[in-house]
Amino acid sequence: MTSITELDSKLYRYIVQLGQQHQLQPMALKVSASGNGPAYLYLAVVCLLFDRHHESLLHAMLIAYLVELPLYFALKNMIRRPRPCHALADGCASIEPADKFSLPSGHTAAAFVMAASIYFVYPQLFYIAVTWAVAIGLSRVVLGVHYPLDIVAGATLGIVSVLIAQQMI
């Protein structure tokens, strides 16, 4: 386990350093903010306005978020992994995170719930949605509030939540 943690910390440092060298923090802030909760509701409503036959996107998303959110809180509070900006001596954050635990990334989980939900309703938009979801995850590392493994865990949580929701529909 130590080697995975060490690799995760090294990758975190590399991504944060790259973000600083290329001055990516302002862009990362905007990308990260695009993954805040209300954005998903707005996007689902816009899809509904343009295509009333696919109200299933809103339905699928709501069920998936009802699966994802309790799992997210349970995992975050069971694992209790400190954020890299608080745990590492050289950790730095461009923003102050809302809580003190990092695993899994909630922004990434929510973004992948949206991307995977879009796949089931609008498969032709999947590559755009998944690119956006990956960008949200990477922005969280660039901002210094998550390790890369937190992003992988968040993406997995989001996708699994949608798969569970699809079984319930």
Side-chain angles (χ1 to χ4, degrees), residues 27-150:
M27 183 176 63
L29 280 168
K30 289 177 183 166
V31 171
S32 178
S34 78
N36 291 344
Y40 303 113
L41 180 60
Y42 300 146
L43 183 59
V45 169
V46 166
C47 289
L48 188 58
L49 289 174
F50 285 104
D51 187 3
R52 292 193 184 269
H53 300 294
H54 278 113
E55 62 189 35
S56 57
L57 175 62
L58 186 57
H59 188 245
M61 280 177 36
L62 287 174
I63 293 172
Y65 283 121
L66 288 173
V67 170
E68 180 264 335
L69 206 52
L71 289 173
Y72 160 77
F73 283 120
L75 287 168
K76 199 153 211 167
N77 288 302
M78 281 183 347
I79 298 168
R80 303 176 70 87
R81 183 182 196 190
R83 292 186 182 269
C85 56
H86 299 140
L88 301 175
D90 60 345
C92 62
S94 299
I95 58 171
E96 186 56 41
D99 60 45
K100 55 186 173 184
F101 303 123
S102 69
L103 183 71
S105 166
H107 275 76
T108 306
F112 273 87
V113 163
M114 175 58 92
S117 296
I118 285 174
Y119 170 77
F120 284 104
V121 180
Y122 300 105
Q124 67 276 19
L125 298 177
F126 174 69
Y127 293 110
I128 294 168
V130 81
T131 300
W132 171 69
V134 168
I136 287 174
L138 286 174
S139 75
R140 304 297 288 169
V141 180
V142 168
L143 293 173
V145 295
H146 282 289
Y147 294 98
L149 189 58
D150 302 341

